[in-house]
Amino acid sequence: MSGNKAVVYEGPGKVEVHDTDYPGFELKDGPGVNPANVGRKLPHAAIIKSVATNICGSDQHMVRGRTTAPQGLVLGHEITGEVVETGPGVEYIKTGDLVSVPFNISCGRCRNCKERKTGICENVNPDRPGSAYGYVDMGGWVGGQAEYALVPYADWNLLKFPDKDQAMEKILDLAMLADIFPTGFHGCVTAGVGPGSTVYIAGAGPVGLAAAASAFLLGAAVVIVGDLNKERLDQAHSFGCETINVAMGDPRDQIEQILRVPEVDCAVDAVGFEAKGHGREASEERPAAVLNTLMGITRAGGALGIPGLYVTGDPGAHEEAAKHGSLSIQIGLGWAKSLSFATGQCPVMSYNRQLMMAILHDRVQIAKAVNATPIPLEQAPQGYHEFDEGAARKYVLDPHGMLAKAA
């Protein structure tokens, strides 16, 4: 093989599909690649033919110019595909396997990986623990919104589907295993969602919807989703969620109308650092608004799952402190209520096998919940634009037409 096509960030508000290099078993220099990673040999890697590769809200932060992502960065960290080549150090993954790729890149050998904390692997990003494909400051591993992608430590990272034909029948659902389904599930698990729980989820984007579906899977009695976008709230309502339009005022009052009490057992932040205010401030950016609201509406002794992305630097922030990752958090309120907080990347490998089985055996319809919508790779710029405009869809790129054929 000699060619490849990929989705490339070309500056704030602009992505394009370019001809790029076919992956090789060595990490080469390029936009965003950490100099300490250049020349890194990858005999343990596999080359994946992308069957599905998704557009994520985390990608949108970069495309909006809210990070220091360099021009020319190949985007994408949600990859599902077929193995077409393996390095000489790969023992168990075979050519032809259909696999899910966790968005966390991890080595399987460091202390954190051995403790299943794969979101903070110590060996793949020279700058700090934690890495991902196609993402700023994550070591420079090439993104997966492409026809072909490279996965290091393949025996460790790849989740093989047991039966290819069965998997292709549910491929849109399985495509959510790379990130948003485990991420939403992680948010709920760390918030303490269980049978009979009342749950508030801030944000009705794909991660929020995945968290809502996860809450039901975990046995929640009531799942309330809050957002500003009516179309996305309607999508949440379509599979049994109660909904709150936070533009109408304080979520606390609306929660009381639903539950007869103004608080929930568990809360999940699926918004992150580009949060807006509530009520009269709904059109203004308030990066701490969601976190402070969740502390206010969660019962004393409860927990907050925070899979929403927060960054150490936001050059587009409206507040000076927020440009350096500092937010006006009411930590005293959280302390007084003895709340627990769980932050950081979801360790996908802690959940993806179980969630795969739930999909394969019809315990959840995650693609329907998030309104997964396949589009050709060439339409990626349009997909990014529509997603940024608030479309209630999870856009799934179909580089080889395999999703269309399966449908």
Side-chain angles (χ1 to χ4, degrees), residues 231-273:
E231 185 182 359
R232 290 181 172 180
L233 290 173
D234 288 345
Q235 180 63 27
H237 186 71
S238 73
F239 61 96
C241 300
E242 301 287 344
T243 58
I244 286 175
N245 188 329
V246 298
M248 303 300 292
D250 189 337
R252 186 179 183 87
D253 299 330
Q254 298 180 68
I255 288 170
E256 186 168 20
Q257 293 176 20
I258 296 168
L259 298 177
R260 305 296 185 266
V261 292
E263 62 182 14
V264 293
D265 298 322
C266 317
V268 177
D269 175 4
V271 178
F273 74 101

Side-chain angles (χ1 to χ4, degrees), residues 171-207:
I171 194 62
L172 264 186
D173 293 278
L174 294 170
M176 303 303 117
L177 290 175
D179 182 355
I180 67 165
F181 193 12
T183 292
F185 194 84
H186 178 63
C188 289
V189 168
T190 54
V193 177
S197 297
T198 57
V199 186
Y200 179 74
I201 296 169
V207 170

Side-chain angles (χ1 to χ4, degrees), residues 314 317-326:
D314 174 11
H318 295 198
E319 301 175 4
E320 187 61 34
K323 292 181 180 180
H324 308 285
S326 296

